[in-house]
Amino acid sequence: MPEDDADRDQRLAVVVAKPRAQTVIDALTDEGVYDADRSVRSWDDDGVAVPVTAPPQTVDVREIVQQVGEPRLRTLEDHLRQRGWTDDELDAAPSSWAVVGSVVLVDVGDAPRPEEVGQALLALHGEADTVLDRGGISGDHREPNVTVVAGEGDTETVHTEHGTQYGLDLAEVMFSPGNKTERARMGDAVEAGERVLDMFAGIGYFTLPMARAGASVTAVERNPTAFRYLVENVMQNGVDRNVQPYRADCRDVVPEFAREARADRVLMGYYEAHEYLDSALDALASGGVLHMHEATPEALVFERPIERLEAAADDAGRSVEVLDTRRVKGYSEGVAHVVVDARIE
C-alpha cells in the first residue's frame, strides 16, 4: 500500500547524545531499524535525531520522536551536485573518508573548493561537527598534519569501536581508521592473564582492546600528548588494573621488563618496527608470540618483514615460526601496511 504524504513527512527518530551518535547508528543497523534513507539531524544543544524505521528494542536512547524527514542525499556526489559541481570537478572530489567520533577525516587532495567538500560531508554525516583535511604523519612522535576545512573546528573527540572508547585530539596524535579490524583482532587474540608488552602504545590503539579482554599489558609511549590520552583512556575504559603505562622509549623499558618476567606476547605496532627487533626479542618469552607491523613495498610484501624477523632471531640465537601474515591497508602509493605474527622459540 503506497505511503501517503503524512506518512512520508512524519517518521520516527531516536534522540541520543551527539558523542554516542556513531555507536548508536551501528547498533541500530545491527538491529535492522536504522533508516538510511533519511539524514541524521541536530536536535538540541547536545543531541541528534537518528532516523529509524521502528522503535529500537536493544538500544538505549534518550527519547523517540516524530521527525520531519526529507529524503537523504545518499552520497558525497549527490551533495556536491546540489551545490553545482560539474562532472570534471566531481572527478577530483575525494572518494573516501572516515568518521572518527565527531570528526570527519578526509584527504581533500586536488578537489576544488575544499570548504564545500567539508560542508557536504557535514551534511552527509549529521553526527559530525568538524571536517579535517589530513596530510601526512611526521616527526619522531608521529604527529599528524591536519587542516580544518569546515565545521566547528573542534579536533578533540571520543571515538568508539567494538565497545572501546578512544579519547584523542586528531590535531595532536595520529589515528588510523583503516586499522579498525586489526585493533579488534588483537582483543580477540589474547587470553585473560597473558603478559603483553605493547612497545608503541600511542593512545592505546591495541592496548585497550587487549586489556579489556583480560590481558596484563605494559604499554610504552614516548609522545607526551599521546601518553596523556593513553592514561585517560585506560581510566575511561576501566582497565587501570590491567595496564601499566610508561612514558619512555621502549628500548629503555625492556631491560627492566625482561628481568621481572618475559612477555607472552609482544606487539610492535609501528611501521619501522624492524629497528627495534632486538629489544622485542629480549622481552619475549620462549614460545611467545610477536606481532610485527611494517610498511612494505608491494614487491616485497611479507618477504621483507619475514626476512628481517628471521635475521634478528638468528642473531639472538632463536627460531621463528610464522603463524600468520596480513595486509592491513594501503600505506602509500605502492606500499602496503602488513603484519607478521610469529612464534619465537
Side-chain angles (χ1 to χ4, degrees):
M1 183 174 181
E3 289 182 307
D4 59 26
D5 289 342
D7 289 336
R8 284 194 299 269
D9 290 342
Q10 297 291 332
R11 298 181 181 177
L12 295 179
V14 295
V15 177
V16 298
K18 196 166 191 175
R20 292 187 61 224
Q22 190 57 52
T23 301
V24 169
I25 290 169
D26 292 342
L28 294 171
T29 300
D30 290 343
E31 190 177 319
V33 296
Y34 175 56
D35 187 351
D37 290 329
R38 289 183 290 143
S39 299
V40 176
R41 303 288 184 85
S42 293
W43 185 256
D44 52 27
D45 288 344
D46 64 347
V48 292
V50 180
V52 293
T53 57
Q57 302 300 309
T58 62
V59 183
D60 290 332
V61 301
R62 187 188 297 172
E63 59 181 317
I64 299 173
V65 298
Q66 293 284 340
Q67 181 196 44
V68 176
E70 298 175 359
R72 176 196 288 271
L73 296 173
R74 298 186 65 87
T75 66
L76 178 61
E77 181 179 328
D78 290 341
H79 283 272
L80 294 175
R81 282 194 185 281
Q82 190 181 59
R83 287 168 166 77
W85 281 44
T86 66
D87 287 343
D88 287 343
E89 289 173 329
L90 289 170
D91 286 342
S95 59
S96 63
W97 54 90
V99 181
V100 179
S102 59
V103 178
V104 180
L105 280 179
V106 61
D107 181 357
V108 173
D110 297 327
R113 302 187 295 284
E115 185 176 348
E116 287 190 11
V117 173
Q119 291 168 348
L121 286 169
L122 288 177
L124 191 62
H125 297 284
E127 70 274 23
D129 56 30
T130 297
V131 178
L132 297 180
D133 180 13
R134 65 178 169 192
I137 304 294
S138 61
D140 291 340
H141 289 163
R142 297 175 287 164
E143 295 164 338
N145 176 24
V146 298
T147 304
V148 177
V149 295
E152 296 177 5
D154 186 358
T155 57
E156 190 169 36
T157 189
V158 176
H159 176 67
T160 303
E161 58 182 45
H162 302 293
T164 301
Q165 293 185 326
Y166 297 93
L168 72 161
D169 187 333
L170 288 159
E172 299 288 339
V173 297
M174 61 174 287
F175 190 87
S176 178
N179 290 359
K180 179 178 180 178
T181 300
E182 192 66 20
R183 287 189 285 270
R185 187 192 304 274
M186 292 311 304
D188 293 336
V190 297
E191 303 268 347
E194 270 193 28
R195 192 163 193 250
V196 179
L197 173 64
D198 186 351
M199 295 177 67
F200 309 96
I203 65 168
Y205 312 108
F206 301 109
T207 286
L208 295 173
M210 291 190 294
R212 291 184 67 232
S216 176
V217 185
T218 297
V220 187
E221 175 54 47
R222 67 182 184 182
N223 179 333
T225 304
F227 182 79
R228 174 171 63 84
Y229 281 109
L230 168 66
V231 173
E232 291 177 0
N233 289 334
V234 164
M235 300 300 294
Q236 180 64 33
N237 285 274
V239 292
D240 48 300
R241 292 186 177 182
N242 289 11
V243 180
Q244 187 172 14
Y246 284 85
R247 185 190 157 200
D249 187 304
C250 56
R251 288 169 293 199
D252 296 331
V253 174
V254 164
E256 179 183 347
F257 179 88
R259 275 197 298 272
E260 294 177 4
R262 288 183 168 178
D264 302 305
R265 191 180 302 271
V266 171
L267 179 65
M268 308 179 75
Y270 173 46
Y271 297 130
E272 301 295 332
H274 67 278
E275 297 177 1
Y276 298 80
L277 276 169
D278 55 343
S279 292
L281 294 171
D282 284 346
L284 190 62
S286 180
V289 175
L290 179 69
H291 304 276
M292 174 185 169
H293 290 235
E294 186 181 280
T296 310
E298 287 288 352
L300 300 175
V301 161
F302 302 131
E303 177 185 348
R304 188 177 76 176
I306 290 172
E307 286 182 351
R308 283 173 164 172
L309 176 55
E310 289 176 338
D314 187 61
D315 288 343
R318 304 184 71 172
S319 62
V320 174
E321 177 192 357
V322 175
L323 302 175
D324 193 15
T325 57
R326 293 184 298 285
R327 289 175 181 263
V328 177
K329 63 181 187 302
Y331 176 72
S332 61
E333 184 71 27
V335 179
H337 173 186
V338 302
V339 182
V340 175
D341 299 339
R343 190 177 309 281
I344 309 296
E345 299 292 352

